Amino acid sequence: MSNPAIEVIGTKELSRALEKLGDEIKREASNEVEYTGQELRTEIIRKYQDGPATGGMYFLKNPNRTHRASAVGEYPMSDTGRLATGTIFKRIAALSVQVSNNIKYAAPLEFGSRGQGPRPAWRDTVDETQPKFLKRLAAIISKEVKQ
């Protein structure tokens, strides 16, 4: 199972459409794509760190600590912070960014595995963020078209 990643697709079509509108709108759209990628990363990390967590309580060693896990359907609850630090943002091109996680257990947590149900922080975040992104992008384009 590959690690979770979010990549904006359709950037070629968006780029062609923006070509007709000029450099200023391309710059604003590029900034919006980057802002949204950073917003996705930040929100995923916030969900890892803030829970809720109503699963089992575990007593762990190295270092000695207690950890309350998340229940199925809740966001994965942070223990060591590795999921949060493994969530990375990368600009691929002017209108293309990627948010991914390089920790091997990120995908099994997100999608579930044999014996463990899913804890979907990524899918929920995309569902919450996409309408806001489209609204902000539409505002940029309509502002330019009105000029």
Side-chain angles (χ1 to χ4, degrees), residues 40-90:
L40 283 165
R41 179 183 178 275
T42 299
E43 185 61 17
I44 290 165
I45 290 171
R46 186 196 63 75
K47 287 177 178 177
Y48 287 159
Q49 294 172 337
D50 292 350
T54 61
M57 179 72 83
Y58 298 94
F59 301 96
L60 305 168
K61 295 183 179 186
N62 199 14
N64 288 333
R65 65 197 184 280
T66 59
H67 172 68
R68 176 160 310 271
S70 56
V72 172
E74 294 177 340
Y75 310 128
M77 188 62 197
S78 184
D79 176 27
T80 63
R82 288 184 65 209
L83 273 176
T85 58
T87 305
I88 54 177
F89 168 87
K90 180 180 179 182

Side-chain angles (χ1 to χ4, degrees), residues 3-22:
N3 288 340
I6 301 165
E7 195 167 332
V8 178
I9 58 174
T11 57
K12 289 179 185 175
E13 294 85 354
L14 177 60
S15 185
R16 279 195 297 270
L18 293 176
E19 283 293 328
K20 299 173 185 172
L21 297 174

Side-chain angles (χ1 to χ4, degrees), residues 10 13-22 24-30 32-33 95 133-147:
E13 294 85 354
L14 177 60
S15 185
R16 279 195 297 270
L18 293 176
E19 283 293 328
K20 299 173 185 172
L21 297 174
E24 178 62 21
I25 193 168
K26 285 190 289 188
R27 185 185 59 72
E28 288 185 42
S30 177
E32 183 56 45
V33 168
L95 295 171
F133 167 68
L134 293 174
K135 184 177 179 178
R136 293 187 303 245
L137 190 60
I140 290 168
I141 293 170
S142 67
K143 179 181 79 170
E144 183 69 23
V145 170
K146 289 178 184 178
Q147 291 181 357

